[in-house]
């Protein structure tokens, strides 16, 4: 399979297990008692080898991201084996970013030490809240003190530590959230992912909502909290570089930038996704979601790729705009024209001018950007921008 070798290539590794299932979470995560780590290790290596041979085209990796699920439950030797095999199969760029997601309930110093020795150089810690009542509401199994301890343990081993927090929870006031955020900022971190709580299909929160409970504030209150979040974070020197992601200069997550810049990545593990640039569009890959089915398919065929899609030009334009407009940097019009031809053929200029006038978009220095207000209305903006 030929794919463009001009853009960076990243690798996503999905670890599908957690100690408990959180009531708000619809990620592909499962609670299992007996996990055959040796069998998983062999399967990750085989599927990586398949991806490298068929889709890697001799490209070095700029990033590896262990996501989940709860990757901090992986034995460090499993992580070390995957990193070493990725290096052998693809090669790693000199400044490769290797991130692992970690949960405070599995964040012992020995784990961080092992992950560091395995080559991980960035930790993304699922703190979710610095308030015990917020953690209880979210059904988390750790306390705020345990979360703080996990942050300090992570920082002893890693220069780059990010935390996730979830706001816009039932009963949370804007003032209470801002205080919590300021406490998080006092910890001196250089990256934070700040998510508004969303109610996802198939979760316990979804069932409770259907039964009549209200678990999130009204839209206008959530929007006010979003604006306050942006103001507090900007003042603190960690502006939003993406809708929910805030970082000090140079500290953005390079792996996630690959997604939002519509560059190329491969996904290995149960339910992992990949996307690659083709001469006339994009190739999408998705593996089997169920861990058991994934293991079986990899055992039989060397990979568990379940769905392969080929997107044409219009879908690729939509992906560039949709992903790029999430970013503060926006999308580069010259880069898009180099890829898709004159913009008259893929952009509705009248709609563009209207959206600029109404304060949803900015178009300067060749970059098209969504304003903070526009970033909340991207679906509608995209539908307007692309000629029917
Ligand atoms: C794969 S999970 C994280 C890692 C780890 N398993 C943990 O929970 O600590 C990625 C992040 O998505 C966020 N998230 C998941 N479901 C969400 C929801 N319904 N609303 C808002 N954020 C959510 C959480 O902040 C979570 O840390
Ligand atoms: S939020 Fe994290 S720990 Fe909780 S179920 Fe989802 S992936 Fe697992």
């Amino acid at each position: 399979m030929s794919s463009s070798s001009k853009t960076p290539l990243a690798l996503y590794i999905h670890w599908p297990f957690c100690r408990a299932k959180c009531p708000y979470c619809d990620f592909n995560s499962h609670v299992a008692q007996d996990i055959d780590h040796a069998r998983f290790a062999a399967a990750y290596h085989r599927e990586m080898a398949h991806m490298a041979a068929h889709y890697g085209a001799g490209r070095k990796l700029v990033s590896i991201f262990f996501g989940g699920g709860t990757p901090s439950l992986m034995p460090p030797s499993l992580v070390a084996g995957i990193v070493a095999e990725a290096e052998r199969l693809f090669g790693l760029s000199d400044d490769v970013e290797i991130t692992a997601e970690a949960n405070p309930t599995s964040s012992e110093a020995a784990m961080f030490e092992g992950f560091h020795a395995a080559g991980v150089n960035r930790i993304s810690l699922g703190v979710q809240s610095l308030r015990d009542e917020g953690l209880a509401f979210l059904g988390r199994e750790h306390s705020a003190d345990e979360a703080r301890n996990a942050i300090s343990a992570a920082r002893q081993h890693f220069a780059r530590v990010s935390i996730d927090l979830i706001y816009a929870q039932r009963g949370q006031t804007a003032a209470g959230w801002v205080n919590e955020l300021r406490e998080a900022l006092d910890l001196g971190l250089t990256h934070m992912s700040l998510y508004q709580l969303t109610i996802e299909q198939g979760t316990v929160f979804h069932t409770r909502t259907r039964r009549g409970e209200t678990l999130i504030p009204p839209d206008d209150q959530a929007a006010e909290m979003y604006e306050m979040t942006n103001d507090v974070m900007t003042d603190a020197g960690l502006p939003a570089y993406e809708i929910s992601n805030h970082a000090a200069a140079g500290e953005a997550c390079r792996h996630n930038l690959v997604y939002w810049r519509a560059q190329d990545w491969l996904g290995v593990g149960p339910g992992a996704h990949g996307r690659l640039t083709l001469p006339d569009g994009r190739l999408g890959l998705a593996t089997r979601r169920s861990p058991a089915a994934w293991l079986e398919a990899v055992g039989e065929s060397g990979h568990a790729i379940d769905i392969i899609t080929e997107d044409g030009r219009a879908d690729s334009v939509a992906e560039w705009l949709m992903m790029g407009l999430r970013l503060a940097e926006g999308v580069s019009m010259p880069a898009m024209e180099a890829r898709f031809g004159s913009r008259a053929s893929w952009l509705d200029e009248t709609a563009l001018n209207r959206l600029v006038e109404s304060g949803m978009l900015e178009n300067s220095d060749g970059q098209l950007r969504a304003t903070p207000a526009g970033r909340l209305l991207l679906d509608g903006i995209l539908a307007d921008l692309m000629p029917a």
Side-chain angles (χ1 to χ4, degrees):
M1 176 63 57
S2 71
S3 66
S4 162
S5 56
K6 289 191 188 115
T7 68
L9 180 68
L11 176 65
Y12 175 78
I13 305 282
H14 191 77
W15 177 254
F17 300 112
C18 296
R19 282 215 177 121
K21 183 78 191 174
C22 303
Y24 53 85
C25 176
D26 76 337
F27 283 78
N28 184 25
S29 62
H30 309 261
V31 178
Q33 298 311 322
D34 297 310
I35 299 166
D36 185 342
H37 289 122
R39 194 166 168 218
F40 268 93
Y44 282 114
H45 290 205
R46 275 196 79 185
E47 192 170 64
M48 256 194 308
H50 176 89
M51 297 281 182
H54 290 79
Y55 307 101
R59 298 163 68 184
K60 284 190 178 179
L61 299 174
V62 296
S63 161
I64 304 176
F65 192 103
F66 290 87
T70 305
S72 48
L73 292 173
M74 294 170 85
S77 58
L78 177 50
V79 175
I82 291 173
V83 172
E85 194 59 6
E87 179 162 27
R88 191 182 70 79
L89 291 165
F90 296 92
L92 305 181
S93 69
D94 290 343
D95 58 348
V96 65
E97 176 185 273
I98 307 183
T99 305
E101 287 180 343
N103 185 314
T105 50
S106 52
S107 291
E108 302 79 22
M111 184 282 290
F112 286 129
E113 221 169 274
F115 274 43
H116 186 260
V120 172
N121 53 27
R122 183 173 181 276
I123 291 288
S124 170
L125 197 54
V127 167
Q128 318 308 357
S129 173
L130 287 174
R131 298 279 179 269
D132 284 337
E133 56 277 20
L135 291 166
F137 170 74
L138 292 170
R140 299 287 285 185
E141 295 199 318
H142 58 89
S143 65
D145 278 347
E146 280 162 341
R148 286 174 191 278
N149 291 341
I151 296 170
S152 3
R155 294 185 73 189
Q156 275 165 29
H157 293 94
F158 297 93
R160 299 183 73 203
V161 175
S162 173
I163 62 169
D164 293 351
L165 294 174
I166 298 181
Y167 69 99
Q169 304 169 21
R170 174 182 69 190
Q172 191 180 34
T173 62
W177 164 238
V178 166
N179 283 340
E180 187 179 338
L181 201 50
R182 293 221 163 95
E183 277 177 37
L185 283 164
D186 286 344
L187 300 171
L189 300 162
T190 53
H191 189 288
M192 287 193 219
S193 302
L194 306 171
Y195 300 111
Q196 279 187 41
L197 177 61
T198 54
I199 305 299
E200 305 293 343
Q201 288 263 346
T203 61
V204 171
F205 272 14
H206 191 253
T207 309
R208 285 172 55 184
T209 302
R210 261 201 344 246
R211 289 189 185 141
E213 267 191 85
T214 302
L215 299 172
I216 49 175
D219 283 353
D220 56 337
Q221 273 177 38
E224 188 195 342
M225 287 169 112
Y226 168 79
E227 277 169 29
M228 289 171 94
T229 303
N230 279 337
D231 292 347
V232 171
M233 296 304 285
T234 304
D235 286 349
L238 277 75
Y241 66 94
E242 189 270 345
I243 297 173
S244 308
N245 284 276
H246 301 256
E251 285 302 320
C253 171
R254 299 204 288 272
H255 188 87
N256 285 338
L257 285 176
V258 165
Y259 300 159
W260 296 316
R261 288 175 178 162
Q263 294 169 339
D264 290 6
W265 70 94
L266 292 166
V268 167
H273 292 244
R275 287 190 74 70
L276 295 165
T277 305
L278 295 173
D280 297 316
R282 299 273 278 169
L283 186 75
L285 303 166
T287 58
R288 293 268 172 100
R289 271 177 74 83
S290 136
W294 177 79
L295 274 178
E296 203 177 302
V298 177
E300 271 169 23
S301 333
H303 70 86
I305 297 168
D306 199 21
I307 305 169
I308 299 186
T309 49
E310 267 193 56
D311 286 345
R313 183 168 168 274
D315 286 333
S316 303
V317 168
E319 182 185 352
W320 269 59
L321 287 173
M322 192 65 188
M323 290 292 156
L325 290 177
R326 294 171 64 117
L327 290 170
E329 69 184 20
V331 281
S332 156
M333 287 288 111
M336 281 198 75
E337 292 202 300
R339 174 101 182 98
F340 301 111
S342 157
R343 73 190 209 192
S345 65
W346 49 265
L347 191 78
D348 183 332
E349 204 75 38
T350 316
L352 172 67
N353 292 334
R354 200 176 52 239
L355 287 161
V356 170
E357 272 165 33
S358 62
M360 296 291 122
L361 292 178
E362 285 165 5
N363 187 18
S364 57
D365 311 325
Q367 290 292 123
L368 182 64
R369 298 181 192 86
T371 60
R375 257 177 252 157
L376 290 178
L377 300 168
L378 286 185
D379 284 340
I381 289 178
L382 189 67
D384 283 356
L385 275 181
M386 292 188 63

